[in-house]
Amino acid sequence: MDITEVERDRLAKLEGLKSGGIDPYPPRQQFRELRILAADAVQKVAEWQKELLVPGDEERQKALHQGIPEVVAIMGRVIVRRVMGKASFLQLEDVSGRMQLYARIGEDSLDTSSFERFKDLDLGDFIEARGNLFITRTGEPTLRVNAWNLLSKSISPLPFPKEEKLTDGSVVRHSALADPELRYRQRYADLAVNPEVRQIFVKRAKIVKSLREFLDTHGFLEVETPVLQPIYGGAAARPFTTHHNQLDQDLYLRISFELYLKRLLVGNLERVYEIGRDFRNEGVSFKHNPEFTQLEFYMAYADFTSIMDLTEQMIRHAARQVLPDGVAHFRGHVVDLTQKWQRIPLREAILEFTGLDYTAYPDEETLEDAIRKRGLNANTVRTRGKLIDGLLGDYVEKNLVQPTFLYDYPRDISPLAKSKFGDPSTVERFEGFVGGIEICNAFSELNDPLDQEQRFIEESIGARMGDEEANPLDEDYLRAMRYGMPPCGGFGMGIDRLAMIFTNNDSIREVILFPHLRKDE
RNA sequence: GGGCCGCUAGCUCAACUGGCAGAGCAGUUGACUCUUAAUCAAUUGGUUCGGGGUUCGAGUCCCUGGCGGCUCACCA
């Protein structure tokens, strides 16, 4: 591993500390009992300042400058250094926020040797500092340090930005770590120096928590089903393959949870959900990562319309938990997630944005012909359903900014959904769109084992015709269906995409901690 | 996979039609007892992504490889 000059200097400094009897990575903190979070300290100072009535400016100034007598400790990472001759300022960051430290040579602060070591700290070091809180002349809440310890020495320099506060209160960051490749490959450094990146993942965790909370209170049981599957299915996607050595068995990483979760409904678990990772061996893009987080739930005695209602409630719940006012700002749009969702039949949506009514073209050939005649893009893998899906993706999706459900989908791209009564080419299915991207997919689940078998057979014909995404026939799943599955609605949602919308990020990589990148050589 | 753009100091970026590789920040040294992009003075730091070529001379032009970003196709 190459070592930079800075690293060489820091390693030398480390040796110096050790030979001076200081452990640069001590096992314990001395001030643990006194610890308060930076944000709480700031709060404390603000309250104390408010309580301090105004007996006279001079006295008040003196009291402010002296500070709160109570002794507290702050632990965190050094992110700003402003070192002077006999007085110095550092800024410490912990999980809650930031706190300025002030130290000087003097009875109320540090002795000379402790102060010299304080000045010698580097950006990135972790320390604990004990003292009392006060307000500087410039009004900054500050801890006056009267004792401190190194907690962890930083060897490699982190690229901390400089932050400039403008007169209007906004903050300009100079020389921030911005190269996306570096940020993703060294996410730890990205997180360390870019607090707004940490906030994305705090928000993401809140989203997941709120969804879980919603489902738990609605009688759903959280379950875990196999990631390694002998037969994959439940979505139109190519799988990753792997191998079990001892059993000498080829296995697939799951592309969805669907077939296993529905087996559980056969087993009388009426409401189940799973939040976990799916793996799809497809292209990587701003909205696709090879592994992504999915929520699926299945609910007995429900159909796709009840799932629409529930989806609306669930997203509204998440929005209210995570976003102020439940309003998302995404790609310059203002999206109110507390409002009622629009519900439009797929046919009408495509008609509106392309002028083409696909119900007038009952088969693949006539539909493709009609699409080409209008100068629209025709999907390259041609089945009637895929052509329709293509129109949706190319012309409709980006226009669905406010929360919208499209419903009634073609049967041949929905092999696990129940047919619409009296319309064999259509199934009871909907997809949800927010901010111009699809976020969820749901249907009345097909529970007719004979129909299901027929669909699998159609799929396997598709597979033989070269459709690499066609699902293989799952005998065990059919056996489960033959025992009887209650009528139910099922739902799947990409958590990453929801996180994109909630955090106003255009790229899925921004909301995945360690997104997939090409190998680094 | 295709197209376009990019890769220069630890970080953010300059370097004209090919002509001495630079700045700010970080680092180092010194000054400074309330600073906040602290300031002031001095200073270190480079395989210009790798390999090959053209040329008196290449960060710059050509070929080739790597990685990234955007985009198109496929997909959630």
Side-chain angles (χ1 to χ4, degrees):
Chain A
M1 197 183 225
D2 291 344
I3 278 214
T4 64
E5 198 180 337
V6 173
E7 288 167 329
R8 242 190 359 256
D9 289 351
R10 295 236 189 134
L11 286 169
K13 202 184 267 185
L14 192 76
E15 285 312 309
L17 287 168
K18 280 183 189 164
S19 58
I22 290 168
D23 182 355
Y25 303 100
R28 268 166 286 285
Q29 306 81 49
Q30 301 304 310
F31 309 142
R32 220 185 269 166
E33 278 74 28
L34 296 171
R35 186 189 183 196
I36 62 171
L37 293 175
D40 294 340
V42 170
Q43 179 71 19
K44 217 180 173 80
V45 172
E47 278 165 19
W48 167 77
Q49 191 178 11
K50 217 188 301 174
E51 275 171 34
L52 208 79
L53 297 172
V54 201
D57 259 355
E58 213 165 292
E59 249 176 88
R60 180 184 155 85
Q61 280 306 320
K62 213 165 149 189
L64 283 172
H65 190 49
Q66 226 128 50
I68 311 172
E70 184 192 351
V71 173
V72 296
I74 296 283
M75 293 176 194
R77 173 173 246 155
V78 178
I79 60 160
V80 173
R81 243 163 56 89
R82 283 186 285 274
V83 172
M84 290 176 291
K86 294 192 176 75
S88 285
F89 294 88
L90 296 185
Q91 226 173 76
L92 232 56
E93 186 168 78
D94 68 19
V95 72
S96 73
R98 296 170 178 185
M99 168 58 53
Q100 177 168 268
L101 306 184
Y102 170 70
R104 65 171 178 178
I105 297 178
E107 267 176 31
D108 61 345
S109 189
L110 299 176
D111 61 40
T112 310
S113 78
S114 181
F115 180 76
E116 287 306 318
R117 282 190 295 109
F118 187 80
K119 283 209 298 188
D120 208 27
L121 283 164
D122 293 301
L123 295 181
D125 290 350
F126 286 90
I127 66 166
E128 58 178 346
R130 188 189 69 189
N132 72 304
L133 297 164
F134 74 109
I135 293 178
T136 61
R137 270 173 216 158
T138 48
E140 180 88 8
T142 303
L143 183 83
R144 182 185 288 108
V145 181
N146 60 34
W148 70 278
N149 296 298
L150 181 62
L151 296 179
S152 179
K153 186 73 195 155
S154 166
I155 303 300
S156 301
L158 281 164
F160 287 101
K162 291 267 178 179
E163 295 191 348
E164 180 183 12
K165 272 190 200 118
L166 301 180
T167 42
D168 65 1
S170 63
V171 175
V172 181
R173 311 181 82 214
H174 300 271
S175 315
L177 174 63
D179 176 7
E181 179 180 1
L182 237 158
R183 288 184 45 232
Y184 301 147
R185 284 198 198 281
Q186 298 191 31
R187 186 65 102 171
Y188 34 86
D190 185 29
L191 290 162
V193 302
N194 292 323
E196 70 280 5
V197 174
R198 291 200 291 270
Q199 282 316 303
I200 291 171
F201 296 100
V202 169
K203 250 186 185 173
R204 182 179 166 129
K206 279 185 188 163
I207 293 167
V208 173
K209 188 183 172 191
S210 70
L211 296 172
R212 202 169 249 136
E213 199 174 77
F214 179 88
L215 291 166
D216 289 342
T217 57
H218 283 74
F220 284 83
L221 181 73
E222 181 168 11
V223 296
E224 291 171 275
T225 61
V227 171
L228 295 174
Q229 304 182 347
I231 296 177
Y232 64 94
R238 284 141 69 191
F240 287 92
T241 57
T242 186
H243 187 78
H244 190 292
N245 290 340
Q246 204 207 331
L247 300 178
D248 190 23
Q249 183 184 16
D250 286 327
L251 292 164
Y252 301 98
L253 300 186
R254 65 181 172 191
I255 59 171
S256 87
F257 323 150
E258 174 151 6
L259 299 182
Y260 280 94
L261 291 178
K262 287 196 291 201
R263 282 172 169 93
L264 299 178
L265 267 69
V266 171
N268 283 13
L269 292 172
E270 286 184 12
R271 296 182 181 192
V272 294
Y273 76 96
E274 179 164 5
I275 293 173
R277 213 68 65 78
D278 273 343
F279 306 85
R280 297 188 184 173
N281 209 337
E282 310 275 0
V284 177
S285 80
F286 75 97
K287 55 176 182 173
H288 298 94
N289 196 59
E291 53 182 294
F292 64 99
T293 302
Q294 178 96 338
L295 160 67
E296 287 190 28
F297 69 73
Y298 292 83
M299 182 181 186
Y301 316 114
D303 64 10
F304 78 132
T305 59
S306 25
I307 302 298
M308 271 190 227
D309 296 338
L310 201 66
T311 302
E312 234 182 90
Q313 290 173 40
M314 182 171 72
I315 302 287
R316 185 180 301 137
H317 175 78
R320 286 197 172 131
Q321 297 291 309
V322 180
L323 301 166
D325 320 322
V327 173
H329 297 263
F330 182 61
R331 294 181 177 169
H333 302 299
V334 178
V335 182
D336 187 349
L337 294 166
T338 65
Q339 281 188 333
K340 255 190 102 53
W341 291 41
Q342 283 193 79
R343 299 182 184 200
I344 308 168
L346 178 62
R347 171 182 162 262
E348 283 178 21
I350 289 179
L351 181 61
E352 182 184 341
F353 291 106
T354 66
L356 189 144
D357 180 2
Y358 64 75
T359 55
Y361 307 94
D363 55 56
E364 185 182 320
E365 287 74 23
T366 52
L367 180 59
E368 191 192 344
D369 196 43
I371 289 171
R372 293 203 187 283
K373 271 194 185 128
R374 281 165 194 275
L376 303 169
N377 300 332
N379 201 319
T380 45
V381 184
R382 291 181 303 271
T383 69
R384 183 169 179 274
K386 290 206 175 202
L387 286 168
I388 294 169
D389 203 36
L391 292 174
L392 166 58
D394 288 347
Y395 301 104
V396 181
E397 183 173 3
K398 61 176 179 292
N399 297 305
L400 304 177
V401 171
Q402 293 307 315
T404 304
F405 293 123
L406 298 184
Y407 63 94
D408 287 352
Y409 274 63
R411 172 186 143 121
D412 71 89
I413 51 166
S414 318
L416 299 159
K418 187 173 278 197
S419 295
K420 199 170 153 77
F421 186 74
D423 181 359
S425 71
T426 304
V427 293
E428 293 195 357
R429 171 180 173 186
F430 74 82
E431 291 185 315
F433 299 83
V434 172
I437 60 177
E438 181 201 330
I439 60 162
C440 64
N441 178 22
F443 31 89
S444 302
E445 301 294 337
L446 180 54
N447 64 344
D448 174 346
L450 304 178
D451 190 356
Q452 186 65 72
E453 187 170 7
Q454 183 56 38
R455 306 286 192 97
F456 274 134
I457 289 166
E458 286 167 19
E459 285 282 300
S460 60
I461 292 168
R464 252 176 277 139
M465 304 279 284
D467 182 356
E468 288 176 302
E469 294 164 355
N471 279 204
L473 192 144
D474 189 335
E475 286 282 5
D476 180 70
Y477 179 72
L478 288 175
R479 173 168 59 196
M481 286 302 111
R482 283 196 293 269
Y483 283 121
M485 181 173 80
C488 63
F491 171 91
M493 178 166 71
I495 299 292
D496 312 278
R497 294 211 179 154
L498 194 67
M500 285 165 69
I501 291 164
F502 275 45
T503 62
N504 192 16
N505 275 296
D506 265 344
S507 167
I508 197 167
R509 293 180 170 184
E510 290 294 342
V511 302
I512 292 175
L513 278 168
F514 298 98
H516 179 77
L517 302 172
R518 279 168 219 263
K519 58 182 182 291
D520 188 15
E521 282 180 315

